[in-house]
């Protein structure tokens, strides 16, 4: 366990190889029911470079109308599938809260995909942390404080790593600057899966 900043905790190798393989299979099952879709930026409609889906009671979506949580897939109109047990167990082990996660965002990064600096602030409940699981190719994760123009640092996240953003770092700016293609054999076609667990509403 490494504390990168107050409340920002890195758990290298939290999932071993066997657990990663099992989790990828569970994610594939989720995606059969809730296929990946391409989100778009509010107002401009510009496509994200990542594709995404969700599991759990709520899912995060973005389109020309804005960012929001909703209970159904934007393309199929069906409820999101349940979270895999291993995902919920990770939250229970690391989140440090009795509040259960309500949303698990699934982001799939092709080698060229990026995620600009942003805050996770579309939730109503900020006492619970954000828990982020990395699977597949390693990624350059950049993080800073709660001011967009503040200084930032970067670390390399490997497959099986978990980041917890809580406390003073719950609203820290963070993003993915680069995917290091070919650094993992977990996904046969390469790329990176990121699972982000969040509590959305107050208890």
């Amino acid at each position: 366990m490494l504390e990168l900043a107050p409340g920002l905790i890195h758990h290298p190798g939290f999932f071993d190889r066997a657990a990663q393989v099992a989790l990828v299979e569970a994610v594939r099952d989720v995606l059969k029911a809730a296929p990946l879709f391409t989100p778009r930026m509010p107002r401009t409609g510009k496509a994200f470079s990542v594709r995404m889906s969700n599991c759990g009671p709520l899912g995060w979506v973005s389109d020309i109308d804005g960012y929001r949580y909703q209970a159904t897939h934007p393309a199929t109109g069906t409820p999101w599938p349940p979270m895999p047990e291993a995902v919920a167990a990770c939250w229970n082990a690391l989140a440090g809260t009795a509040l259960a996660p309500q949303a698990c965002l699934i982001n799939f990064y092709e080698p060229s995909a990026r995620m600009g600096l942003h805050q996770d602030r579309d939730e109503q409940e900020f006492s619970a942390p954000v828990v982020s699981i990395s699977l597949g190719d390693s990624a350059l994760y950049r993080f800073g404080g709660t001011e967009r123009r503040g200084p930032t640092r970067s670390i390399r996240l490997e497959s099986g790593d978990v980041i917890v953003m809580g406390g003073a770092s719950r609203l820290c700016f963070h993003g993915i600057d680069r995917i290091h293609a070919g650094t993992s054999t977990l996904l046969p076609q390469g790329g990176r899966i990121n699972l982000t667990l969040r509590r959305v509403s107050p208890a």
Side-chain angles (χ1 to χ4, degrees):
M1 185 182 78
L2 305 171
E3 187 173 43
L4 305 176
L8 182 62
I9 310 299
H10 180 204
H11 297 269
F14 181 84
F15 289 92
D16 64 18
R17 176 70 182 202
Q20 293 172 44
V21 170
L23 186 49
V24 167
E25 288 303 312
V27 170
R28 288 196 177 108
D29 287 340
V30 167
L31 296 180
K32 290 176 184 176
L36 291 168
F37 61 93
T38 301
R40 296 188 176 275
M41 292 293 294
R43 297 185 299 278
T44 67
K46 181 180 178 181
F48 283 37
S49 65
V50 300
R51 289 181 291 157
M52 65 176 51
S53 187
N54 292 272
C55 54
L58 296 172
W60 187 86
V61 300
S62 176
D63 57 25
I64 197 166
D65 295 324
Y67 305 128
R68 64 189 179 278
Y69 284 94
Q70 62 185 49
T72 56
H73 191 289
T76 68
T78 57
W80 303 107
M83 291 184 200
E85 290 183 6
V87 169
C90 176
W91 174 278
N92 291 337
L94 301 181
T97 177
L99 296 173
Q102 293 175 297
C104 176
L105 174 65
I106 303 168
N107 280 331
F108 177 68
Y109 290 77
E110 301 280 359
S112 61
R114 305 287 186 271
M115 184 68 72
L117 280 178
H118 65 281
Q119 293 173 300
D120 288 9
R121 60 177 310 128
D122 296 320
E123 303 74 39
Q124 300 170 348
E125 178 60 68
F126 295 126
S127 68
V130 173
V131 176
S132 176
I133 302 168
S134 294
L135 297 168
D137 285 338
S138 61
L140 188 64
Y141 170 79
R142 184 154 58 105
F143 62 93
T146 56
E147 300 293 331
R148 180 179 291 276
R149 297 184 181 277
T152 62
R153 294 169 51 202
S154 298
I155 63 166
R156 184 161 160 158
L157 296 179
E158 307 289 351
S159 189
D161 288 3
V162 177
I163 289 283
V164 178
M165 294 180 288
S169 292
R170 172 58 181 80
L171 292 173
C172 73
F173 278 90
H174 60 283
I176 296 294
D177 284 344
R178 183 181 310 157
I179 303 299
H180 297 282
T183 51
S184 171
T185 59
L186 183 66
L187 305 178
Q189 304 302 317
R192 174 180 184 258
I193 295 172
N194 177 237
L195 307 176
T196 305
L197 290 83
R198 303 185 185 112
R199 175 76 188 191
V200 179
S201 58

